[in-house]
Amino acid sequence: MNLKENVLAVLRDEETDVTPVVSVTQLGITEAMEKTDAFWPEAHSDAEKMAALGSSLYELAGLECARIPFCLTIEAEAMGCKVDLGNKDRTPQVVESPFESSSDISMPDDFLSKGRIPVVLDAIKKLKDKYGDTLPIIVGITGPFTLTGHLLGVEKLVRYMRTRQNEVESALDEALDISIEYANAIADAGPDIICVADPTSAPELIDPLQFKTIVKPRLEDLSMQINTSKVLHICGSTEPIIKDMAATGFDGLSIEEKVDIARAKEAIKGGGKTIRVGGRTMSMGGGDKVPKIIGNISSSETLFRGSPDQVKEEVKKVLESGVDIIAPSCGLAPSTPLENIKAMIEARNEFTVSNI
């Protein structure tokens, strides 16, 4: 079973011998930029450099995937927002939006030809041409609620959640259409996994009840439209919303280190009340698939500031907790040492051998 088959088998709830080590979130680091000559900000808008940097941690450290792009501003830029592409140490940011209210938001007919969308689609093709059926290709898109924040402004969005909910829901429906359009175009390009990152919907920013009633239904709609394996990533302490995340229909949930893996798995399985049917884990409540837990090696502390030994210790801890796919808890900091990425794979290998 090759690397691609291994990670996809896990997401399909099939038995595998090895726990995959991937990154479903941003993986560009400066050390890899230097070794591949694919630097930010050029790699954000050049398909060749995007593909090179997106696969760099596989080539240099053995990470078991390629992952592009390196920000959550692609859709907003294509909608007419002004984006600062940053530098080699800083990811792109939306700095200005042309939209004042939800009534101003309308996806143009030529949306898929705007901004850097063609670059991402071309980079997917380049990765597929190079790695074929051997390496999983992961492509990230922006979740509808986070995209709404880009279009209206995050502060305005959070304030409107309390005072003008109808305005939020109208804008969110427009953002959902944009997300679906972009996800369909990406799926047609042929990646193996689409990761929907919706960090603005974290419990630190909105109430869990608002997530359940406003955000969750749109994520369900988006999930239904994605015709590849699919992962949902939400930052922060997501335990209060983990069951609702699990109910959106994604194959995997990417979580940060603030979330206890064992408790998360218990919560999404409904207290462990599951049965095996045809080799799959099913919930006795409604028969829904139980998503896999992905994570949650601290990207802001252990991978960024820690030693390889500390990385290995954390990897073994999450394996003992039952993680399904090992991955950084969030996007990698650009200054993350390459040796710490290598340590994740080494720790998985050492753990696997010791448990044979």
Side-chain angles (χ1 to χ4, degrees):
M1 187 177 289
N2 64 31
L3 298 179
K4 174 178 174 176
E5 293 166 344
N6 190 51
V7 72
L8 293 180
V10 172
L11 291 174
R12 291 193 298 263
D13 195 25
E14 297 172 359
E15 292 293 332
T16 61
D17 295 327
V18 179
T19 304
V21 185
V22 305
S23 179
V24 298
T25 50
Q26 193 293 112
L27 53 63
I29 62 173
T30 53
E31 197 172 343
M33 295 178 203
E34 292 165 356
K35 292 180 181 296
T36 60
D37 194 31
F39 289 88
W40 293 345
E42 293 82 9
H44 296 305
S45 53
D46 180 294
E48 192 73 43
K49 292 183 181 295
M50 181 179 288
L53 187 58
S55 57
S56 62
L57 296 189
Y58 165 67
E59 296 288 353
L60 298 170
L63 192 72
E64 297 168 350
C65 72
R67 201 279 190 189
I68 59 170
F70 316 106
C71 69
L72 293 176
T73 63
I74 304 290
E75 300 95 316
E77 183 183 53
M79 284 296 294
C81 291
K82 182 179 179 181
V83 172
D84 175 1
L85 288 179
N87 53 45
K88 69 182 180 69
D89 300 311
R90 180 168 57 83
T91 56
Q93 298 177 348
V94 174
V95 295
E96 187 178 322
S97 172
F99 307 109
E100 292 293 330
S101 67
S102 62
S103 61
D104 299 328
I105 302 172
S106 179
M107 181 172 54
D109 292 338
D110 58 348
F111 168 70
L112 293 176
S113 67
K114 289 183 172 293
R116 287 171 289 143
I117 289 179
V119 174
V120 175
L121 299 178
D122 190 19
I124 296 170
K125 181 180 184 301
K126 292 180 183 302
L127 288 168
K128 284 179 63 66
D129 288 346
K130 183 172 184 179
Y131 296 106
D133 294 326
T134 61
L135 186 71
I137 299 168
I138 303 173
V139 180
I141 70 172
T142 311
F145 193 73
T146 298
L147 178 56
T148 302
H150 288 162
L151 300 179
L152 290 180
V154 175
E155 291 184 5
K156 183 186 289 186
L157 173 61
V158 174
R159 184 173 71 251
Y160 280 5
M161 288 288 284
R162 298 189 301 268
T163 62
R164 300 169 64 174
Q165 186 170 310
N166 288 340
E167 174 86 359
V168 171
E169 298 216 44
S170 178
L172 189 52
D173 285 337
E174 294 292 338
L176 173 61
D177 288 341
I178 296 165
S179 295
I180 291 172
E181 183 80 0
Y182 184 42
N184 286 338
I186 288 174
D188 288 343
D192 302 295
I193 301 168
I194 290 178
C195 176
V196 177
D198 214 351
T200 308
S201 64
E204 286 85 347
L205 291 174
I206 65 170
D207 186 271
L209 182 59
Q210 293 174 322
F211 180 87
K212 177 187 283 288
T213 58
I214 298 174
V215 179
K216 176 187 171 185
R218 274 78 180 189
L219 287 173
E220 289 176 318
D221 289 345
L222 177 57
S223 174
M224 289 179 62
Q225 296 295 321
I226 296 177
N227 296 318
T228 68
S229 293
K230 50 207 171 186
V231 170
L232 174 63
H233 173 83
I234 298 178
C235 300
S237 302
T238 51
E239 282 192 36
I241 61 171
I242 197 74
K243 289 185 72 172
D244 288 317
M245 289 172 63
T248 55
F250 286 82
D251 302 308
L253 304 180
S254 170
I255 58 174
E256 287 197 1
E257 69 272 17
K258 297 176 183 177
V259 181
D260 181 272
I261 290 172
R263 287 203 300 267
K265 296 194 81 166
E266 186 73 9
I268 65 176
K269 289 181 179 179
K273 296 179 180 178
T274 58
I275 56 175
R276 297 288 292 179
V277 179
R280 300 180 68 85
T281 303
M282 309 293 284
S283 165
M284 291 179 66
D288 294 331
K289 177 178 62 179
V290 177
K292 298 303 178 180
I293 294 295
I294 302 169
N296 56 349
I297 311 304
S298 174
S299 54
S300 61
E301 293 294 334
T302 312
L303 288 169
F304 178 37
R305 296 185 175 91
S307 67
D309 284 343
Q310 289 172 316
V311 172
K312 288 185 177 183
E313 182 179 346
E314 194 160 320
V315 168
K316 291 173 183 177
K317 178 181 176 182
V318 302
L319 282 165
E320 289 167 352
S321 297
V323 76
D324 297 299
I325 297 174
I326 303 163
S329 64
C330 197
L332 292 174
S335 297
T336 299
L338 186 62
E339 64 178 359
N340 282 354
I341 307 302
K342 294 178 181 178
M344 286 201 298
I345 294 91
E346 291 169 0
R348 185 278 314 275
N349 293 345
E350 291 167 6
F351 184 91
T352 301
V353 169
S354 67
N355 283 273
I356 291 177

